[in-house]
Amino acid sequence: IRNATDEISMDATPDYTRVPQVPARIQKELIPDRCRFIVSIRDPVTRAYSWYKHIHAVYLQKDDYDAALQPFGYKFSLMVKYAVPQVLRCIESTRNANDVHGNCGYQSSYFHAPRVEIEETGLETKLLGLASSPFCDSLYGYILLHWFKYFNPQQFCVVVYEDLLDNFEGEVAFLKPCLSFYGKEVSIWPSEQLPKLNEQACESCDKLETFEPENFRELGADLHKNFFLTSNELVRSSLMIFYGRPRPRRWEDAYDIPSPASEK
C-alpha cells in the first residue's frame, strides 16, 4: 500500500478504524476491489481503558492531550461521567446508525462546540474530542457500518481478541477468506498463541487512575449497559449475518449483564 512493489502490501494501525475519513480515502487512492481488511476487536471497556492508559504512557507529554485530560483530573472515571454522555447525545441525535461514526467519531465537528464544567475539578473541558476518543473508538458496531458504506462486508475478516485467547487456531481460521483472495493460506506454528495479557506498560504514569478489579467491573458494567450495548449488538448481528458466526461472544457476560430476549 505504501510505496510497495509486491503484489500484496500490508499496513496496520488502529487509526484506520478510528478516523471516519479513512475508508473514503482508501476507496479513492487504492483499487477498492483488491482491498481486504482484517479487523481485531476486544471488550470495548477494556479497550477504552487500555487506550486511556496508552495516552498516559505515550501522549500525555503532548500539550493537546494534557489539555484534554486535565479538566477531568486525568481520571478515567470522570471521563466516563462527563465525556461519555456527550458522545451518547451525538449518537441519539443521529437518525441513521450508518452515520453515527461519521458524525460522532474521533475529532468530529460535534465535539468542537460543547464545553462541560467538571464539578470535581471546577475546570471546563477542552478538546473534548480527544477526551472522548477512548469511548468513540470502541464503538465497533457503528464503525463497521460506516466502513460497509464504502466496501462490501465480505472484504473484511473480523477476529475477536478474547476468542483468540480461548481458541487461537479456531479464531485465526476466520482470516482465511481475506488471505485466500490473494492465494495465501493461514499457517500456524504448533506453539503459536497470544499472551494472556494485553496491557500497555505505564511504569511512570503518576496521574493514571487505577482500579481494584471489583470497582473496574462495576464501572465496566455501567458502560456496557448505558453506552456500548447497542454497538455490541450491531457487532454480533454483523458477525452472524455476514460471517456465519452463530453465537458471537457477549462481552457483557463478563459483567453479569443478562441477555435481552432478542439474543436468547
Side-chain angles (χ1 to χ4, degrees), residues 13 46 52 69 91 103 123 161 163 183 185 191 248:
T13 169
T46 56
Y52 160 80
L69 268 63
I91 294 172
N103 293 346
L123 300 174
Y161 172 72
D163 291 335
E185 296 181 357
S191 60

Side-chain angles (χ1 to χ4, degrees), residues 47-62:
R47 191 263 173 212
Y49 184 73
S50 179
W51 178 235
Y52 160 80
K53 195 173 181 180
H54 186 71
I55 291 172
H56 277 264
V58 178
Y59 294 113
L60 201 58
Q61 66 270 25
K62 298 182 179 181

Side-chain angles (χ1 to χ4, degrees), residues 9-252:
S9 300
M10 296 185 68
D11 196 14
T13 169
D15 287 346
Y16 285 140
T17 52
R18 73 190 302 237
V19 180
Q21 295 80 11
V22 167
R25 184 174 179 182
I26 291 178
Q27 188 183 59
K28 179 181 178 181
E29 299 293 337
L30 302 180
I31 304 174
D33 291 344
R34 290 282 297 162
C35 293
R36 292 296 182 271
F37 304 94
I38 294 173
V39 183
S40 177
I41 57 179
R42 64 184 291 198
D43 176 356
V45 172
T46 56
R47 191 263 173 212
Y49 184 73
S50 179
W51 178 235
Y52 160 80
K53 195 173 181 180
H54 186 71
I55 291 172
H56 277 264
V58 178
Y59 294 113
L60 201 58
Q61 66 270 25
K62 298 182 179 181
D63 290 341
D64 51 353
Y65 277 93
D66 186 81
L69 268 63
Q70 184 184 24
F72 302 92
Y74 305 96
K75 293 182 179 295
F76 185 76
S77 59
L78 292 184
M79 292 163 67
V80 171
K81 181 177 179 180
Y82 291 98
V84 165
Q86 298 302 315
V87 181
L88 196 56
R89 288 191 184 95
C90 181
I91 294 172
E92 292 172 345
S93 68
T94 304
R95 292 186 177 183
N96 193 326
N98 295 336
D99 298 327
V100 166
H101 186 54
N103 293 346
C104 311
Y106 174 68
Q107 294 291 65
S108 75
S109 59
Y110 179 86
F111 299 110
H112 293 173
R115 291 276 183 115
V116 180
E117 183 175 339
I118 310 302
E119 181 180 351
E120 289 81 352
T121 64
L123 300 174
E124 193 176 65
T125 58
K126 301 175 183 178
L127 301 173
L128 189 58
L130 284 179
S132 302
S133 65
F135 313 104
C136 297
D137 300 351
S138 303
L139 292 167
Y140 313 126
Y142 297 116
I143 291 171
L144 287 174
L145 289 182
H146 179 72
W147 277 76
F148 291 166
K149 292 193 296 185
Y150 299 89
F151 298 94
N152 190 304
Q154 299 307 317
Q155 292 178 256
F156 295 78
C157 291
V158 182
V159 292
V160 180
Y161 172 72
E162 293 85 357
D163 291 335
L164 284 168
L165 292 179
D166 291 347
N167 180 11
F168 183 76
E169 186 172 353
E171 190 66 14
V172 166
F174 288 108
L175 300 179
K176 288 181 179 179
C178 288
L179 297 181
S180 64
F181 176 79
Y182 302 107
K184 305 296 181 179
E185 296 181 357
V186 177
S187 298
I188 303 174
W189 293 100
S191 60
E192 213 164 15
Q193 61 180 351
L194 286 179
K196 291 297 182 182
L197 292 177
N198 180 19
E199 296 183 352
Q200 167 71 50
C202 202
E203 297 175 357
S204 60
C205 300
D206 56 323
K207 297 176 181 177
L208 179 77
E209 182 180 21
T210 59
F211 298 88
E212 293 296 327
E214 188 57 35
N215 293 336
F216 186 79
R217 191 165 175 273
E218 182 179 346
L219 182 68
D222 182 67
L223 275 169
H224 273 298
K225 287 188 290 186
N226 299 312
F227 182 67
F228 286 123
L229 185 59
T230 300
S231 172
N232 292 349
E233 290 172 346
L234 287 170
V235 170
R236 290 190 285 270
S237 64
S238 293
L239 292 178
M240 288 187 290
I241 294 170
F242 298 121
Y243 311 111
R245 299 178 69 148
R247 295 184 62 85
R249 178 177 291 267
R250 288 190 79 254
W251 292 299
E252 300 93 329

